[in-house]
Amino acid sequence: MTDGELTLGEVSDLSRQVLERVSQAVVGKAEALELVLAGVLAGGHVLLEDYPGLAKTLAARSFAQALGLEFRRVQFTPDLLPSDVTGGFVYDQKESEFVFRPGPIFTGLLLADEINRTPPKTQAALLESMQEHQVTVEGQTFPLPTPFHVLATANPVEYEGTYPLPEAQLDRFMLRIGFGYPSPAEEWEVLRRRMSRRREDQTVEAVTDAAGLLAAQQAVERVTVDDTVGQYCVDLAAATRRDSQVLVGASPRGSLALLLTARAYAVIKGRDYVVPEDVKAVAVAALAHRITVRPELWLHEVTGATVVRTVLGSVAAPPTVVAAR
């Protein structure tokens, strides 16, 4: 909890505590959890895409608890309406007028669970809120709380009963992260913990609150980024556009997401400056979902992640520069 500014060292300690608390609920997945936290510290939204049952929802709820944010969960279904997310006007008989009733999107952290199980019209209801931090209903605009973050979960597009997210909405997510299946040892640890606590529900204690998270995000803005590292981010995004396997490469929004996330990742790792390794660590999560691969290459299992790994191997990284403070 805080009422003032935080130093970058304090943000690094705060990040470590948050990850420790979340790890009490989510077994393993340390790298993926670091990326989720980096996305939040960078002020962005995160898409968790993987098969069902891999702790995506648990991770989102645990981060909300550890960060002390007001939390709402929306289960996206084929019959969900945009007003079910944003809210709408209802008639107040006592006042004889229509009043706005806020929807679940008016919160600190919204868990959009299985976002690709609902049709595009409802998916699009999130677009304005994710980019502009506001909701417009019947011509009236309502600001969202600050901070406001969306952690969305999605099943793979190939999974039955899903609707592919449109490119415009995918681009609104700063990061897309997959958890993957646990190792046998991690899976046994999940079972062991469930038997030990003797109940299904899991909760973690708050490390900070909304004001503390805002202070941490403001501190991240002070992270030093050498010009060569910024140019490296631009070069990586530009290389995805030139790749022969790509129909549409990463936009400038992709290079910006890469830089912003790398700053937050550097703080999580205990540094007040960004090194090329930070950029490499977040590159796949920041760029892969912004790349459209040529359709004829899908059968060859070429994906956006494949392209990003290719450009990481072909674009020369600058030397590490330790900035003087």
Side-chain angles (χ1 to χ4, degrees):
M1 316 284 179
T2 183
D3 294 321
E5 287 190 357
L6 292 177
T7 66
L8 289 171
E10 290 172 333
V11 178
S12 182
D13 291 339
L14 177 68
S15 301
R16 176 183 51 78
Q17 294 175 46
V18 169
L19 290 171
E20 286 177 354
R21 296 288 171 84
V22 174
S23 295
Q24 294 173 4
V26 181
V27 177
K29 315 305 177 193
E31 293 182 3
L33 295 178
E34 286 179 346
L35 289 173
V36 173
L37 182 57
V40 173
L41 287 178
H45 311 287
V46 180
L47 176 64
L48 306 175
E49 184 175 275
D50 220 319
Y51 293 100
L54 298 182
K56 302 185 299 295
T57 301
L58 175 62
R61 185 170 61 246
S62 299
F63 269 110
Q65 293 171 347
L67 293 170
L69 299 177
E70 183 182 359
F71 176 69
R72 300 280 181 87
R73 175 181 181 271
V74 177
Q75 180 65 51
F76 280 67
T77 58
D79 60 349
L80 191 74
L81 299 175
S83 59
D84 294 330
V85 179
T86 62
F89 285 90
V90 296
Y91 187 71
D92 187 330
Q93 293 184 342
K94 183 177 180 181
E95 301 294 333
S96 299
E97 63 180 4
F98 284 93
V99 296
F100 180 69
R101 179 175 294 173
I105 202 169
F106 287 84
T107 187
L109 191 149
L110 175 71
L111 170 56
D113 212 359
E114 296 188 301
I115 189 174
N116 61 339
R117 283 200 178 279
T118 198
K121 183 177 181 179
T122 304
Q123 292 174 1
L126 288 175
L127 283 178
E128 180 186 17
S129 60
M130 291 172 66
Q131 186 64 28
E132 307 294 338
H133 285 203
Q134 65 184 27
V135 168
T136 301
V137 179
E138 296 186 17
Q140 295 191 40
T141 299
F142 303 91
L144 292 170
T146 303
F148 168 72
H149 295 279
V150 173
L151 291 187
T153 70
N155 297 321
V157 173
E158 300 85 6
Y159 203 72
E160 184 178 358
T162 59
Y163 299 82
L165 288 174
E167 286 77 5
Q169 186 164 344
L170 271 176
D171 205 34
R172 295 303 194 278
F173 287 100
M174 183 169 283
L175 301 175
R176 182 179 66 179
I177 301 167
F179 277 16
Y181 285 103
S183 68
E186 291 171 342
E187 193 164 356
W188 163 239
E189 179 65 14
V190 172
L191 274 59
R192 189 194 65 77
R193 291 188 186 184
R194 172 61 181 86
M195 292 187 293
S196 296
R197 66 177 179 270
R198 298 184 179 182
R199 56 186 173 84
E200 186 63 31
D201 294 339
Q202 299 185 73
T203 57
V204 299
E205 294 182 6
V207 175
T208 184
D209 56 11
L213 176 58
L214 280 176
Q217 291 172 338
Q218 291 165 1
V220 171
E221 294 289 340
R222 301 195 297 271
V223 173
T224 300
V225 182
D226 189 78
D227 289 349
T228 59
V229 175
Q231 185 61 52
Y232 181 50
C233 295
V234 172
D235 292 343
L236 287 173
T240 66
R241 302 167 205 155
R242 297 190 302 266
D243 194 288
S244 60
Q245 305 172 104
V246 171
L247 193 62
V248 179
S251 69
R253 184 180 284 157
S255 55
L256 180 60
L258 188 57
L259 180 60
L260 296 180
T261 311
R263 288 194 314 187
Y265 189 82
V267 175
I268 292 173
K269 291 300 185 180
R271 281 179 278 99
D272 59 1
Y273 58 93
V274 179
V275 297
E277 285 68 27
D278 298 324
V279 177
K280 294 177 182 178
V282 304
V284 172
L287 296 180
H289 61 293
R290 307 174 195 273
I291 295 171
T292 303
V293 176
R294 292 187 179 279
E296 62 268 22
L297 297 177
W298 292 349
L299 293 177
H300 299 280
E301 298 184 347
V302 176
T303 64
T306 307
V307 174
V308 175
R309 294 188 182 100
T310 299
V311 301
L312 283 172
S314 62
V315 176
T320 299
V321 177
V322 180
R325 298 305 300 267

